[in-house]
Amino acid sequence: ILLSSLMAIVYIGKVIEVFYFREPVVAAGTSTKIKEAPLSMLVPMYLLLAVTVYVGINGDATLDVAKVVALKLLGGL
């Protein structure tokens, strides 16, 4: 567990380094102008954001489902 945790930290550290601390690599003949994501990508992202916030605030619904599943899985023990 310790080894896998350390590997995950190293991997995520590399991702954070590339995203935030390195200059972007620009291919020849392309511009560096950043554009907004298209609406087809923004709508699902905002939908998932809303569901995540709702579940985070109102955790009763997910706790009830988890309780039922746990009882079904562990009912035979």
Side-chain angles (χ1 to χ4, degrees), residues 8-71:
I9 289 171
V10 169
Y11 175 75
I12 295 301
K14 183 72 171 172
V15 170
I16 290 172
E17 176 190 346
V18 170
F19 280 168
Y20 294 110
F21 299 113
R22 285 193 186 170
E23 291 294 323
V25 177
V26 180
T30 61
S31 71
T32 59
K33 185 177 180 184
I34 298 173
K35 300 176 188 174
E36 182 64 50
L39 190 61
S40 63
M41 290 178 72
L42 291 176
V43 169
M45 183 178 64
Y46 287 133
L47 181 64
L48 287 172
L49 172 68
V51 170
T52 302
V53 170
Y54 175 76
V55 169
I57 292 172
N58 184 16
D60 294 336
T62 55
L63 288 177
D64 292 340
V65 171
K67 183 178 180 181
V68 169
V69 171
L71 288 174

